[in-house]
Amino acid sequence: MNSPITLTDVARQAGVSVATVSSVLNNTGRVSEGTRQRVLEVARDLGYVANLSARSLKGGRTGVLGMVVNDLASPVFAEIARGASMAARNVGLDLMLYTTSVTAQRERERVIGTVSSLCDGVLIVVSGDSDDYIRALEQPRFPAVLVNYLGETPLTTVGADNYWGARQATEHLAHLGHRRIGFITGASGSGQGPERLRGFLDALAAHGLPGGEDLIRTGDFSRPRGFAATCELLALPERPTAIFAANDESAFGAMDAAKDHGLRIPNDLSIVGFDDVPAAAVVHPALTTVRHPFLDIGATAVRLLQEAQQGGGASGRRVELMSELVVRHSTGPVGQEHQA
Amino acid sequence: MNSPITLTDVARQAGVSVATVSSVLNNTGRVSEGTRQRVLEVARDLGYVANLSARSLKGGRTGVLGMVVNDLASPVFAEIARGASMAARNVGLDLMLYTTSVTAQRERERVIGTVSSLCDGVLIVVSGDSDDYIRALEQPRFPAVLVNYLGETPLTTVGADNYWGARQATEHLAHLGHRRIGFITGASGSGQGPERLRGFLDALAAHGLPGGEDLIRTGDFSRPRGFAATCELLALPERPTAIFAANDESAFGAMDAAKDHGLRIPNDLSIVGFDDVPAAAVVHPALTTVRHPFLDIGATAVRLLQEAQQGGGASGRRVELMSELVVRHSTGPVGQEHQA
DNA sequence: CTGTTAGCGCCTTCAA
DNA sequence: TTGAAGGCGCTAACAG
């Protein structure tokens, strides 16, 4: 039974005091080079790993950032976590993920409390609206950064633009000659969807294109709903030549529906998504979409969290990254078939 | 600046000793009902949350399970984590995820060391082969369970069958009348791929079907390779009427390729995947695939971990769950076009 | 039934 | 340049 190596073990083995070992390991205080080398060597040989609990209890920095999420399965979340994880690693920090249900209030407070007793700071990634979730953090007891949160809050938040990305995507379609463009909305609860719709509508107006009710279909960010909404759109007397879906998942559903109707993409129907999840680049044809810079969002969140730690309280900044149109192969000029 | 509430705070506020509070909160020792209620009330009012570091340092159970993964982006991983997370919650435990790179040896030891100082036990989910990763855990210093690991190890492992699932899928195709069936392999490194291929080949032999080299194409579990491999298969002088891909991602690529060639699924080409990731149910047509019970795997891992904790050392069990064919709409009887 | 106390592993003065 | 000692929040053993 190999019990974990403690600082004391290293000290004993190296024939010095614990304080000396601590100094060496933390690069603090002046220790003679000889002692230094010996301690380092012993620590390595013994496979010493600092006990985080002890360090945290003592009140020092643990070098661990916490991340609280409520949906492990979403690729959007996964990308943000990946970005945060890489950024943390780059500055010598670890990232710890904690899952929690959106529903139970007590549960969330417990999770936040737990994480904050372990970590130097916490990143909160919540999908949809869960305002009271946030309320618990607002007492500036602990460095926290909110990711993709659109509500009112004094805390620091990071997100990315939705409006201009949607506008850009719609204009891309307009420049391609499309005049009837369908739109598949997101889930009504989320804050991201409406902004995307607004960008779409404004671009339409700017180009004098029709944006009637019949061209706007309710989706819920899911693939099956994207499929169904597209079928509705294609059943219209004057069917659209392009469809803009409020997220990639819906766009994948739209692609399925188009192929099902024997339509070629992009010849017969152009399709644009939103998010640029990894799958968007590998579907066939590759999806034209608006890149939400999730990796950057994660990395920025880590940076802001570090600033919040050093700066002390909640800085209350609101950072919005730019999203960007990525043109791939699911969009093209209006085909002859439909121009008549 | 609201500093966290400690046990002492609660004790002071309730007018009792810390030991009493501790007893109440842990349901240990006998405390009078009146005191009990008062303590509970004060704790709730103050929003007391136990400091995990202190509890862990003291040597007690923390109620947190660790999970070490090397790929946050894979849906396979996400499902396992989801299963483990739900199972943990059901027994009142939390799950903490720690990411680590597969490459750096020192790094991994550090992560394991860190996690083990915080958690009651650890779940290791490694994709591909990383044998020396495992070696570090083998000293039974700490309850650990390996997920989806196929190598030799004295540690407890949980996984799911690959061979019989592949056999079943192939037989499904054979019963549908397919005689020329293509296969897209997985990445050569992984241990899961070869077993799936073996199941495929044995089923072929059992039915007296051809399994020549030309029908077996090298994939790497990715969608683009699945696409390319399928194009090769479709270019064969005598093209297959069905394709079995070693994982769903490859199967999605195969579906893309088929549609690209103007083939209808399943009328002109049947396609089977492996894994049953969530996307498999929502692509169009819905993918027939072999369900690897990831949620169950995660849940079982949690259960075994608990047993390992209670039982003490590494029990060294090897649990293999059954995989199961899920017939959806991407497979059907051989079409007239190809029967001639 | 309830209070006092030691000590988990570490870091940080302070003293030598 | 190094050693000794205290205390972070908590639990468990022991007194009262």
Side-chain angles (χ1 to χ4, degrees):
Chain A
M1 185 56 72
N2 229 331
S3 66
I5 312 296
T6 75
L7 224 174
T8 315
D9 295 333
V10 176
R12 197 189 340 264
Q13 192 68 228
V16 296
S17 79
V18 290
T20 306
V21 177
S22 179
S23 288
V24 171
L25 264 27
N26 297 297
N27 281 320
T28 162
R30 289 140 306 236
V31 181
S32 73
E33 191 54 25
T35 314
R36 216 182 99 77
Q37 289 304 334
R38 188 150 34 88
V39 168
L40 251 25
E41 190 182 346
V42 172
R44 188 153 31 76
D45 288 354
L46 260 42
Y48 170 77
V49 176
N51 183 320
L52 258 208
S53 306
R55 186 174 294 185
S56 148
L57 184 54
K58 184 67 178 102
R61 292 272 163 269
T62 59
V64 180
L65 263 28
M67 182 159 169
V68 176
V69 301
N70 57 24
D71 182 9
L72 276 178
S74 135
V76 162
F77 143 76
E79 287 300 288
I80 293 175
R82 220 155 58 86
S85 175
M86 282 161 37
R89 197 186 311 266
N90 281 344
V91 292
L93 263 26
D94 278 345
L95 189 70
M96 169 200 291
L97 265 64
Y98 231 87
T99 323
T100 179
S101 74
V102 237
T103 48
Q105 167 74 10
R106 277 305 290 174
E107 165 74 6
R108 291 183 302 224
E109 285 175 9
R110 195 182 58 76
V111 167
I112 302 280
T114 301
V115 170
S116 61
S117 75
L118 254 35
C119 302
D120 295 346
V122 63
L123 258 45
I124 311 279
V125 187
V126 287
S127 70
D129 40 11
S130 41
D131 296 338
D132 51 333
Y133 191 113
I134 306 306
R135 225 61 56 67
L137 271 306
E138 296 191 351
Q139 302 99 308
R141 52 162 75 133
F142 192 65
V145 169
L146 263 33
V147 178
N148 264 3
Y149 183 71
L150 293 174
E152 286 299 316
T153 173
L155 292 168
T156 298
T157 65
V158 196
D161 153 73
N162 289 295
Y163 176 82
W164 290 103
R167 242 191 114 134
Q168 225 182 317
T170 312
E171 260 149 28
H172 165 64
L173 257 15
H175 290 320
L176 251 20
H178 296 278
R179 293 195 52 81
R180 284 186 63 78
I181 306 174
F183 187 87
I184 303 173
T185 72
S188 55
S190 163
Q192 320 263 356
E195 279 298 281
R196 296 176 185 179
L197 175 56
R198 203 165 62 82
F200 170 73
L201 290 176
D202 283 4
L204 246 39
H207 285 259
L209 297 179
E213 289 296 313
D214 59 334
L215 284 172
I216 298 176
R217 297 289 156 166
T218 306
D220 61 358
F221 287 145
S222 84
R223 188 160 184 159
R225 263 311 297 159
F227 186 95
T230 302
C231 291
E232 292 168 23
L233 251 13
L234 295 179
L236 251 29
E238 202 182 351
R239 69 162 56 153
T241 61
I243 292 179
F244 182 14
N247 76 333
D248 289 346
E249 206 61 28
S250 304
F252 297 151
M255 291 175 74
D256 290 337
K259 292 177 188 173
D260 233 39
H261 282 73
L263 265 27
R264 288 163 305 160
I265 305 170
N267 313 49
D268 304 322
L269 185 70
S270 285
I271 294 176
V272 179
F274 205 116
D275 278 347
D276 196 23
V277 297
V282 294
V283 293
H284 199 84
L287 185 68
T288 292
T289 187
V290 179
R291 171 177 298 149
H292 229 54
F294 295 117
L295 258 42
D296 263 6
I297 289 177
T300 304
V302 168
R303 192 166 49 71
L304 288 172
L305 192 52
Q306 282 190 285
E307 285 175 19
Q309 285 169 226
Q310 287 155 15
S315 40
R317 290 216 273 149
R318 186 159 208 116
V319 176
E320 182 162 275
L321 270 30
M322 286 303 296
S323 52
E324 172 199 13
L325 181 68
V326 180
V327 179
R328 296 208 180 90
H329 308 299
S330 67
T331 51
V334 181
Q336 281 78 344
E337 296 92 331
H338 293 93
Q339 256 177 338
Chain B
M1 188 54 74
N2 229 330
S3 66
I5 312 297
T6 74
L7 223 171
T8 316
D9 294 332
V10 177
R12 196 184 346 262
Q13 192 68 228
V16 295
S17 79
V18 291
T20 305
V21 177
S22 179
S23 286
V24 171
L25 265 27
N26 297 296
N27 280 320
T28 161
R30 288 140 307 231
V31 182
S32 73
E33 191 53 26
T35 313
R36 216 181 98 78
Q37 289 303 336
R38 186 149 35 86
V39 168
L40 251 25
E41 191 182 347
V42 171
R44 187 154 30 78
D45 288 354
L46 261 42
Y48 170 78
V49 176
N51 183 320
L52 259 210
S53 305
R55 187 175 292 185
S56 149
L57 182 56
K58 182 67 181 131
R61 291 274 164 266
T62 59
V64 180
L65 263 27
M67 181 159 170
V68 176
V69 302
N70 57 23
D71 182 9
L72 277 178
S74 137
V76 162
F77 143 76
E79 287 299 288
I80 293 174
R82 219 154 59 83
S85 175
M86 282 162 36
R89 195 186 311 267
N90 280 345
V91 292
L93 263 26
D94 278 345
L95 189 70
M96 169 199 294
L97 264 65
Y98 232 85
T99 323
T100 179
S101 74
V102 237
T103 49
Q105 167 73 12
R106 278 304 291 175
E107 165 74 7
R108 292 182 303 223
E109 285 175 8
R110 195 182 58 76
V111 167
I112 302 280
T114 300
V115 170
S116 61
S117 75
L118 253 34
C119 303
D120 296 345
V122 63
L123 258 44
I124 311 279
V125 186
V126 287
S127 69
D129 39 11
S130 41
D131 296 339
D132 49 333
Y133 191 112
I134 305 307
R135 225 60 57 67
L137 270 307
E138 296 193 351
Q139 301 99 309
R141 51 161 75 134
F142 191 66
V145 169
L146 263 34
V147 177
N148 265 3
Y149 183 72
L150 293 174
E152 287 298 317
T153 173
L155 291 169
T156 297
T157 65
V158 196
D161 153 72
N162 289 295
Y163 176 82
W164 289 103
R167 244 191 113 134
Q168 225 182 317
T170 312
E171 261 149 27
H172 165 64
L173 255 15
H175 290 319
L176 252 19
H178 297 277
R179 293 196 51 81
R180 284 186 63 78
I181 306 174
F183 188 87
I184 303 173
T185 72
S188 56
S190 162
Q192 320 265 354
E195 279 297 282
R196 295 175 186 181
L197 175 57
R198 202 165 62 82
F200 170 72
L201 290 176
D202 283 4
L204 246 40
H207 285 259
L209 297 179
E213 290 295 312
D214 60 333
L215 284 172
I216 298 176
R217 298 288 156 168
T218 306
D220 62 359
F221 285 145
S222 83
R223 189 160 180 158
R225 263 310 298 157
F227 186 94
T230 302
C231 290
E232 293 168 23
L233 251 14
L234 294 180
L236 251 28
E238 200 182 352
R239 70 163 54 153
T241 60
I243 292 179
F244 182 13
N247 77 332
D248 288 346
E249 205 62 27
S250 303
F252 297 151
M255 290 174 74
D256 291 336
K259 291 177 188 174
D260 233 39
H261 281 72
L263 264 29
R264 288 162 305 161
I265 305 169
N267 313 48
D268 304 322
L269 184 71
S270 285
I271 294 177
V272 180
F274 205 117
D275 276 347
D276 196 23
V277 297
V282 293
V283 295
H284 200 84
L287 185 68
T288 292
T289 187
V290 179
R291 170 176 299 149
H292 230 54
F294 294 118
L295 257 43
D296 262 6
I297 290 177
T300 305
V302 167
R303 193 166 48 72
L304 288 172
L305 192 52
Q306 282 190 284
E307 285 175 18
Q309 285 169 226
Q310 286 156 14
S315 40
R317 291 215 274 149
R318 187 159 207 116
V319 175
E320 182 162 275
L321 271 30
M322 287 305 294
S323 52
E324 172 199 12
L325 182 67
V326 180
V327 178
R328 296 209 181 90
H329 307 299
S330 67
T331 50
V334 181
Q336 282 79 343
E337 296 91 332
H338 294 93
Q339 256 178 341

